[in-house]
Structure formats: C-alpha cells, structure tokens
Amino acid sequence: MNANRDMTVNKTLGLALAALLLHGTAALAGPALAGPTLEVEDPYARAVPPGQTNSAVFMRLVNGGDAPRALVGGKSEAAEVVELHTHTMADGMMKMRRVERIEVPAKGSETLEPGGLHIMLIGLKRDLVPGGTVALTLDLDDGSTLAVQAQVREVQAMEHHHH
Ligand SMILES: [Cu+2]
C-alpha cells in the first residue's frame, strides 16, 4: 500500500520535473547547443510470433558526459506507439508500467533488459523475425535524438513465478 502511494507521488513529481525541464530546454534551445549525448550499445528487439501486437526493445545506454541525461520518448517504423516502461512487483507479480523518463547518470550507464526497463513497441505494424532489424528514433531530455537499429532476436520470456 505505502509503496504504491510513494510510487504515485514520485511519478507526479517526475512529471512536474519533466515539464519544468522541457520548458527550460525550450528556452535554451538553439543550434549551438550540442551537449554530450548518449551512446547505445547492443540494441535488440524481442522476436514475436506473427499476430502478436506488442514487443520490446532492450539496450545499454552509456553517458560519457558530465551531465545526467534521460530518454524521454521515441518512435519506430515498426510500431504505432513507443513507450518507456519498467517492471515493478505488485501482489507478488511482475507488472509493467509506463515511466516518463529513463535516467542515465553522468559518466554512468543504464541497462534496459528483460524483466526491467524496456522500450515498449505497441501496435506492431509488421512481424519481428529473428535476424531482422527495427529502426527507432529515441528522444533525449536535451532535445536531441538518437537513431537506433535494434537487431531482432529470440528473447526468453520473463520468469514470473520465482521468488
Ligand atoms: Cu512494457
């Protein structure tokens, strides 16, 4: 109960902060502003059987810069909607929920992986067959974008039942 409530409060704060940052970025934005951006390592997408409507993309995000950076959204040619997701435990079950941002600390990294943070592809426009690729454009909090080619792979389904 308390954990859920804290999560809601955090999310509200996160949204307020995101709005504030967006506003600040808009005021500062200019062609000369080219801060350090994120590097993507080993991006891959989960292969899904034909007819499946959703999939997910995973990768390692590396921030070589002196400022924290965050993913704030994205789009893909392979899906109607792209969302940033995480997994949380609720009533003993792992559940996905949407997050507004995926933070990558300065001089640090964040790993998106099955059972944790991921980029959700919602409303697939085509089959995701192993060996293929999925193109994504990821939006960062500094207003820049990252072009990513994710390899489609067989990814083991998440384990729901272990404790
Ligand atoms: Cu998800």
Short mmCIF file of all heavy atoms in Angstrom, two decimals, residues 54-56 58 83-87 95-98 116-122, ligand 1:
data_model
loop_
_atom_site.label_atom_id
_atom_site.label_comp_id
_atom_site.label_asym_id
_atom_site.label_seq_id
_atom_site.Cartn_x
_atom_site.Cartn_y
_atom_site.Cartn_z
N ASN A 54 2.44 -6.56 -29.61
CA ASN A 54 3.43 -5.78 -28.87
C ASN A 54 4.77 -6.49 -28.81
O ASN A 54 4.84 -7.71 -28.88
CB ASN A 54 2.97 -5.55 -27.42
CG ASN A 54 1.68 -4.77 -27.35
OD1 ASN A 54 1.34 -4.02 -28.26
ND2 ASN A 54 0.96 -4.95 -26.27
N SER A 55 5.82 -5.70 -28.64
CA SER A 55 7.15 -6.26 -28.40
C SER A 55 7.94 -5.24 -27.57
O SER A 55 7.38 -4.25 -27.11
CB SER A 55 7.86 -6.56 -29.71
OG SER A 55 9.10 -7.19 -29.44
N ALA A 56 9.21 -5.53 -27.38
CA ALA A 56 10.04 -4.63 -26.56
C ALA A 56 11.45 -4.58 -27.11
O ALA A 56 11.91 -5.51 -27.76
CB ALA A 56 10.04 -5.10 -25.11
N PHE A 58 15.55 -3.60 -26.06
CA PHE A 58 16.49 -3.52 -24.94
C PHE A 58 17.83 -3.03 -25.43
O PHE A 58 18.17 -3.17 -26.61
CB PHE A 58 16.66 -4.91 -24.31
CG PHE A 58 15.36 -5.62 -24.03
CD1 PHE A 58 14.86 -6.56 -24.92
CD2 PHE A 58 14.62 -5.31 -22.90
CE1 PHE A 58 13.65 -7.20 -24.68
CE2 PHE A 58 13.41 -5.94 -22.65
CZ PHE A 58 12.93 -6.89 -23.55
N GLU A 83 6.62 3.42 -26.04
CA GLU A 83 6.57 3.92 -24.66
C GLU A 83 7.77 3.42 -23.88
O GLU A 83 8.31 2.36 -24.18
CB GLU A 83 5.29 3.42 -23.95
CG GLU A 83 4.02 4.07 -24.45
CD GLU A 83 2.78 3.63 -23.65
OE1 GLU A 83 2.92 2.74 -22.77
OE2 GLU A 83 1.71 4.16 -23.92
N LEU A 84 8.16 4.18 -22.86
CA LEU A 84 9.21 3.75 -21.94
C LEU A 84 8.53 3.02 -20.78
O LEU A 84 7.57 3.52 -20.21
CB LEU A 84 9.99 4.96 -21.41
CG LEU A 84 10.52 5.92 -22.47
CD1 LEU A 84 11.24 7.09 -21.82
CD2 LEU A 84 11.44 5.20 -23.45
N HIS A 85 9.02 1.83 -20.48
CA HIS A 85 8.39 1.00 -19.45
C HIS A 85 9.40 0.49 -18.44
O HIS A 85 10.58 0.38 -18.74
CB HIS A 85 7.74 -0.23 -20.09
CG HIS A 85 6.38 0.03 -20.67
ND1 HIS A 85 5.50 -0.98 -20.95
CD2 HIS A 85 5.76 1.17 -21.03
CE1 HIS A 85 4.38 -0.47 -21.46
NE2 HIS A 85 4.53 0.84 -21.54
N THR A 86 8.90 0.13 -17.27
CA THR A 86 9.69 -0.63 -16.31
C THR A 86 8.82 -1.75 -15.76
O THR A 86 7.63 -1.86 -16.08
CB THR A 86 10.21 0.26 -15.17
OG1 THR A 86 11.15 -0.49 -14.40
CG2 THR A 86 9.08 0.74 -14.27
N HIS A 87 9.41 -2.61 -14.96
CA HIS A 87 8.66 -3.66 -14.27
C HIS A 87 8.68 -3.38 -12.77
O HIS A 87 9.71 -2.99 -12.23
CB HIS A 87 9.27 -5.03 -14.52
CG HIS A 87 8.91 -5.60 -15.85
ND1 HIS A 87 9.69 -5.40 -16.96
CD2 HIS A 87 7.86 -6.36 -16.26
CE1 HIS A 87 9.13 -6.03 -17.99
NE2 HIS A 87 8.03 -6.60 -17.60
N LYS A 95 4.76 -6.62 -12.91
CA LYS A 95 3.87 -5.91 -13.83
C LYS A 95 4.62 -4.78 -14.52
O LYS A 95 5.49 -4.16 -13.93
CB LYS A 95 2.67 -5.34 -13.06
CG LYS A 95 1.75 -6.43 -12.57
CD LYS A 95 0.45 -5.90 -12.05
CE LYS A 95 -0.48 -7.05 -11.73
NZ LYS A 95 -1.52 -6.69 -10.76
N MET A 96 4.23 -4.53 -15.76
CA MET A 96 4.84 -3.43 -16.48
C MET A 96 4.10 -2.15 -16.16
O MET A 96 2.90 -2.16 -15.98
CB MET A 96 4.73 -3.63 -18.00
CG MET A 96 5.49 -4.79 -18.52
SD MET A 96 5.62 -4.68 -20.31
CE MET A 96 3.92 -4.68 -20.81
N ARG A 97 4.86 -1.07 -16.11
CA ARG A 97 4.17 0.22 -16.06
C ARG A 97 4.99 1.24 -16.83
O ARG A 97 6.20 1.12 -16.98
CB ARG A 97 3.92 0.67 -14.63
CG ARG A 97 5.13 1.12 -13.89
CD ARG A 97 4.77 1.56 -12.47
NE ARG A 97 5.98 1.93 -11.75
CZ ARG A 97 6.54 3.14 -11.80
NH1 ARG A 97 5.97 4.10 -12.49
NH2 ARG A 97 7.66 3.39 -11.16
N ARG A 98 4.30 2.23 -17.31
CA ARG A 98 4.94 3.26 -18.10
C ARG A 98 5.73 4.21 -17.19
O ARG A 98 5.30 4.52 -16.09
CB ARG A 98 3.86 4.05 -18.85
CG ARG A 98 4.45 4.97 -19.88
CD ARG A 98 3.37 5.67 -20.68
NE ARG A 98 4.00 6.56 -21.63
CZ ARG A 98 3.35 7.41 -22.40
NH1 ARG A 98 2.04 7.47 -22.34
NH2 ARG A 98 3.99 8.18 -23.24
N GLY A 116 13.14 -5.79 -16.65
CA GLY A 116 13.44 -4.47 -16.09
C GLY A 116 12.97 -3.37 -17.01
O GLY A 116 11.91 -3.46 -17.62
N LEU A 117 13.78 -2.33 -17.10
CA LEU A 117 13.46 -1.22 -18.01
C LEU A 117 13.45 -1.71 -19.45
O LEU A 117 14.27 -2.55 -19.83
CB LEU A 117 14.51 -0.12 -17.87
CG LEU A 117 14.53 0.65 -16.55
CD1 LEU A 117 15.83 1.42 -16.41
CD2 LEU A 117 13.32 1.58 -16.45
N HIS A 118 12.53 -1.18 -20.25
CA HIS A 118 12.49 -1.53 -21.66
C HIS A 118 11.77 -0.45 -22.45
O HIS A 118 11.08 0.39 -21.89
CB HIS A 118 11.84 -2.90 -21.89
CG HIS A 118 10.46 -3.01 -21.32
ND1 HIS A 118 10.23 -3.21 -19.97
CD2 HIS A 118 9.23 -2.96 -21.90
CE1 HIS A 118 8.92 -3.27 -19.77
NE2 HIS A 118 8.29 -3.12 -20.92
N ILE A 119 11.97 -0.50 -23.76
CA ILE A 119 11.23 0.37 -24.66
C ILE A 119 10.14 -0.48 -25.29
O ILE A 119 10.42 -1.47 -25.96
CB ILE A 119 12.17 0.96 -25.73
CG1 ILE A 119 13.22 1.85 -25.04
CG2 ILE A 119 11.37 1.75 -26.77
CD1 ILE A 119 14.36 2.26 -25.95
N MET A 120 8.89 -0.12 -25.03
CA MET A 120 7.76 -0.94 -25.45
C MET A 120 7.31 -0.52 -26.86
O MET A 120 7.13 0.66 -27.14
CB MET A 120 6.61 -0.70 -24.46
CG MET A 120 5.53 -1.72 -24.53
SD MET A 120 6.05 -3.20 -23.66
CE MET A 120 4.78 -4.32 -24.22
N LEU A 121 7.16 -1.53 -27.71
CA LEU A 121 6.59 -1.29 -29.04
C LEU A 121 5.14 -1.74 -28.99
O LEU A 121 4.85 -2.91 -28.75
CB LEU A 121 7.35 -2.10 -30.10
CG LEU A 121 8.85 -1.85 -30.21
CD1 LEU A 121 9.46 -2.78 -31.25
CD2 LEU A 121 9.15 -0.40 -30.55
N ILE A 122 4.24 -0.81 -29.19
CA ILE A 122 2.80 -1.09 -29.07
C ILE A 122 2.13 -0.92 -30.42
O ILE A 122 2.29 0.12 -31.07
CB ILE A 122 2.17 -0.17 -28.02
CG1 ILE A 122 2.84 -0.41 -26.65
CG2 ILE A 122 0.66 -0.40 -27.92
CD1 ILE A 122 2.49 0.62 -25.61
CU CU B 1 6.29 -2.86 -21.42
#
